[in-house]
Amino acid sequence: MNDTPARLLRLLSLLQTPREWPGSELADRLGVTDRTVRRDIDRLRELGYPVEASMGATGGYRLVAGAAMPPLLVDDEEAVAIAVGLRAAAGSAIAGIEESSVRALAKLEQVLPAKLRRRVRVLDTALVPPTDDGPAVDPEILTALAAAVTNRERVRFGYRGESGAQTRRHIEPLGLVPSRRRWYLVGHDVDRDDWRIFRVDRIEQPQPTGARCTPRPLPAADAAAYVAGRRTNWGTPSFRVRVTIQAPVSRVAGRLGDSPGDIAAIDDGSCLLDVTRDDDPTWLAYRLIDLGADFQVHEPPVLVDRLRAIATRITNAIT
């Protein structure tokens, strides 16, 4: 084996088998001399692989645990097994390893040959994961979103809202966050020009667009902090929002996190927001104020209370 890179990869694959390899056996497997094996062992050590040598008639070489995790080589069967395990871990959001499972799965599936990806999907379909309190998440959707986050690439997808309404979204993805047996995507909505949080189990057919995006400043330390701040109580039920706004639909649409059909024209100068939402009422109150138009809240009472609290703070600040 005269190709040095190929020989080093083959040697590394042999050493990753948990046993001790006599130098003569490694030389025979690789078709080289004992001296070449020793030189190749030194090359691996220079690359950071902790190869230990023992002397004597029963001695040889073996790969041991080092200070850092070196790259590993796996065969086809091992790659399939790892991918299936990672998909199961990602889909069920195992506490503590959710994000790392998705990152590792995205890296692995990026380089899996087509025939191995098909095997992974077949096995994944046949396996029945343990049930839990969270909704099922398609690992393929998770990995597609993770790749878009890593590549800083805009993505389009279908999204099913709380009421069941379907919309199309164009997002600059920032991060995936697991919380209470659910996955959430944090991203900047290009069409609505605002940050959004999406439940991944409601996302359908994510498609990377190929357009790169520069990370925008998030109004939080990171994606996890943003989700925690915006979703302080995941068990809070949705609420009905009905607000008359003294402005035409064209001026309002898309500025309140609304979807097509959420806002209807009353006449040329006014419209009605009528939708079921699970947003923070305080956030919605500030968005209504930011419209710069008069409005009247019909429901819910909690939104009226938040607006009164804001008005009190403003009054106290200027008196």
Side-chain angles (χ1 to χ4, degrees):
M1 186 177 287
N2 296 323
D3 186 345
T4 300
R7 189 176 67 247
L8 285 175
L9 289 174
R10 175 58 177 159
L11 174 59
L12 180 58
S13 178
L14 292 171
L15 291 173
Q16 285 179 174
T17 304
R19 55 162 289 191
E20 195 162 85
W21 290 87
S24 57
E25 186 174 351
L26 288 174
D28 182 61
R29 291 287 190 103
L30 298 173
V32 296
T33 64
D34 289 352
R35 182 180 179 184
T36 299
V37 169
R38 290 194 294 271
R39 286 202 304 264
D40 287 348
I41 291 293
D42 288 338
R43 290 190 180 100
L44 289 180
R45 287 168 175 163
E46 291 173 359
L47 292 172
Y49 292 95
V51 181
E52 185 180 83
S54 56
M55 307 301 291
T58 60
Y61 301 98
R62 65 189 183 98
L63 195 64
V64 298
M69 180 70 183
L72 298 177
L73 292 177
V74 295
D75 60 25
D76 286 0
E77 298 299 325
E78 293 166 340
V80 170
I82 292 171
V84 171
L86 288 172
R87 287 167 71 93
S92 59
I94 298 174
I97 65 167
E98 309 95 331
E99 291 179 86
S100 55
S101 297
V102 172
R103 289 198 305 271
L105 183 58
K107 291 177 182 179
L108 181 58
E109 293 203 345
Q110 183 176 355
V111 298
L112 278 181
K115 65 176 184 178
L116 295 187
R117 282 200 298 271
R118 286 194 294 270
R119 288 179 60 188
V120 170
R121 292 192 183 102
V122 169
L123 285 171
D124 191 60
T125 302
L127 295 174
V128 180
T131 58
D132 55 34
D133 297 331
V137 175
D138 187 343
E140 290 191 25
I141 291 179
L142 271 177
T143 53
L145 294 174
V149 170
T150 301
N151 297 333
R152 295 181 178 177
E153 183 178 6
R154 287 183 176 183
V155 63
R156 294 184 183 273
F157 54 77
Y159 191 68
R160 176 173 46 84
E162 180 75 20
S163 63
Q166 296 282 348
T167 59
R168 290 293 298 174
R169 300 301 183 104
H170 186 195
I171 303 298
E172 295 179 354
L174 177 70
L176 286 163
V177 179
S179 179
R180 299 191 181 183
R181 297 187 181 276
R182 288 179 179 167
W183 279 98
Y184 298 89
L185 172 69
V186 176
H188 193 273
D189 192 311
V190 176
D191 297 327
R192 293 162 175 78
D193 191 25
D194 200 4
W195 290 99
R196 290 290 187 271
I197 299 173
F198 302 95
R199 275 179 47 175
V200 174
D201 59 292
R202 294 177 179 170
I203 291 176
E204 299 176 354
Q205 298 179 334
Q207 297 291 334
T209 65
R212 303 297 176 181
C213 52
T214 301
R216 301 171 185 258
L218 182 70
D222 54 29
Y226 187 69
V227 170
R230 289 287 305 279
R231 298 286 195 251
T232 56
N233 185 355
W234 299 104
T236 301
S238 302
F239 51 88
R240 175 82 175 276
V241 178
R242 292 184 68 251
V243 181
T244 298
I245 304 168
Q246 301 303 319
V249 171
S250 59
R251 177 178 163 187
V252 175
R255 298 182 62 185
L256 298 171
D258 52 288
S259 299
D262 292 347
I263 298 179
I266 298 175
D267 52 41
D268 291 342
S270 63
C271 57
L272 177 68
L273 172 66
D274 188 353
V275 65
T276 300
R277 298 286 288 270
D278 60 353
D279 290 308
D280 179 359
T282 300
W283 176 86
L284 184 56
Y286 281 114
R287 296 300 293 177
L288 285 167
I289 295 170
D290 191 56
L291 290 175
D294 292 337
F295 60 90
Q296 181 183 6
V297 177
H298 307 293
E299 57 181 308
V302 64
L303 180 55
V304 175
D305 293 340
R306 302 296 170 85
L307 286 164
R308 284 181 178 144
I310 293 170
T312 298
R313 287 198 296 271
I314 294 173
T315 301
N316 292 338
I318 62 177
T319 56

